[in-house]
Amino acid sequence: MAHMPRIQFHILTLFPELFTGILNSSLLAKASAKGLVSFNLTQIRDFATDKHKTVDDTPFGGGEGMLLKADVLYRAWRSVVPEKSCAEAPSGSGLSSAKTITILLSPQGELFDQKMAHELTSTYSKIVLVCGHYEGVDERFIDLCVDREVSIGNYILTGGELPAAVLVETMTRLVPGVVGNERSLTEESLERDGLLKYPQYTRPREFKDHTVPDVLLAGDHKAIQTWREQEMRRRTERKRPDLLK
Ligand code: SAM
């Protein structure tokens, strides 16, 4: 019997074509081919009901740009989260069930990081990612359906598609079995005590008069370990002192 993917990702977007290359290449393609995760794209526009397939409208009270309409977004979201009825959900809590979470990609959200990726991956089996566009989305959709707003950084993108891809890729790597050598996950930057990874070198030993540190060539594993730990701390202090706070 085929097993269920550990995480089903559902992405609600006006631009599903932006995901074609990303989801069908490299590690993400392998992870879905193995059935460890599944990627499901929903075209928000398919849930517009008028003949022009309108998904956006001007904001009440005036202001710049267009907003994604709450009713269209709601129908799109409902098609992938049919689990709970509206009446069960207190306003602002989102309607998702315990193992399902609805995330709106938004520059107003909590900043995404490796810790959040671990938390989401270990808690949820169905992750619904809603990509905003234009000036954003009608607030009532957020109140009613969104559990969490997540930002990938303090800058503004045109849409939530690249942020959604960032979340999907980061979380998929953490699903057991996706990265062949599990140690390479724990040895990564931001994993061990939140420090950056030590410097690494490969052949040739000498490149434009720069040599590889002697300690890495001497075969003393304990000395290599000590050197790597020192380097992790040293480079974190130098490059990302904020991580040590
Ligand atoms: N008017 C909105 C505001 O001031 O908060 C910004 C809208 S932005 C141009 C359009 C969409 O891109 C957002 O709804 C969101 O989905 C996505 N987006 C933009 N920057 C983002 C970021 N840093 N992190 C996550 N999503 C982002």
Side-chain angles (χ1 to χ4, degrees), residues 104-108 130-137 150-160 163:
L104 173 70
L105 285 312
S106 164
Q108 301 186 17
V130 183
C131 305
H133 214 80
Y134 313 119
E135 273 306 308
V137 309
V150 175
S151 164
I152 62 160
N154 293 328
Y155 40 80
I156 303 290
L157 294 148
T158 308

Side-chain angles (χ1 to χ4, degrees), residues 176-244:
V178 169
V179 172
N181 177 358
E182 304 260 324
R183 263 199 74 193
S184 66
L185 280 182
T186 52
E187 289 287 305
E188 216 80 81
S189 287
L190 309 175
E191 290 290 358
R192 276 180 53 196
D193 304 325
L195 300 177
L196 301 181
K197 192 167 180 165
Y198 44 79
Q200 300 175 96
Y201 306 85
T202 186
R203 274 179 279 271
R205 278 186 181 208
E206 205 168 306
F207 176 65
K208 294 192 184 290
D209 293 338
H210 285 250
T211 54
V212 174
D214 289 341
V215 63
L216 299 177
L217 304 171
D220 179 344
H221 294 291
K222 200 155 181 295
I224 292 174
Q225 188 59 24
T226 307
W227 179 84
R228 285 180 168 167
E229 277 166 19
Q230 284 167 352
E231 285 299 318
M232 284 170 72
R233 195 152 285 281
R234 195 174 300 156
R235 66 170 32 197
T236 309
E237 273 162 12
R238 183 163 52 85
K239 292 187 182 186
R240 291 291 307 276
D242 56 301
L243 294 174
L244 296 169

Side-chain angles (χ1 to χ4, degrees), residues 8-20 22-23 28 38-44 47 73 76-77 79-80 101 103 105 126-132 160-169 171-172:
Q8 292 173 40
F9 289 101
H10 288 268
I11 302 169
L12 274 55
T13 171
L14 287 171
F15 300 94
E17 66 277 11
L18 286 176
F19 292 91
T20 329
I22 295 168
L23 299 181
L28 297 185
S38 71
F39 304 126
N40 310 276
L41 293 163
T42 296
Q43 167 57 274
I44 295 168
F47 295 84
L73 273 177
W77 173 82
S79 75
V80 301
I101 186 166
I103 294 173
L105 285 312
K126 181 167 169 184
I127 299 179
V128 181
L129 299 167
V130 183
C131 305
E161 284 74 16
L162 294 178
V166 167
L167 265 66
V168 166
E169 156 120 24
M171 291 190 274
T172 298

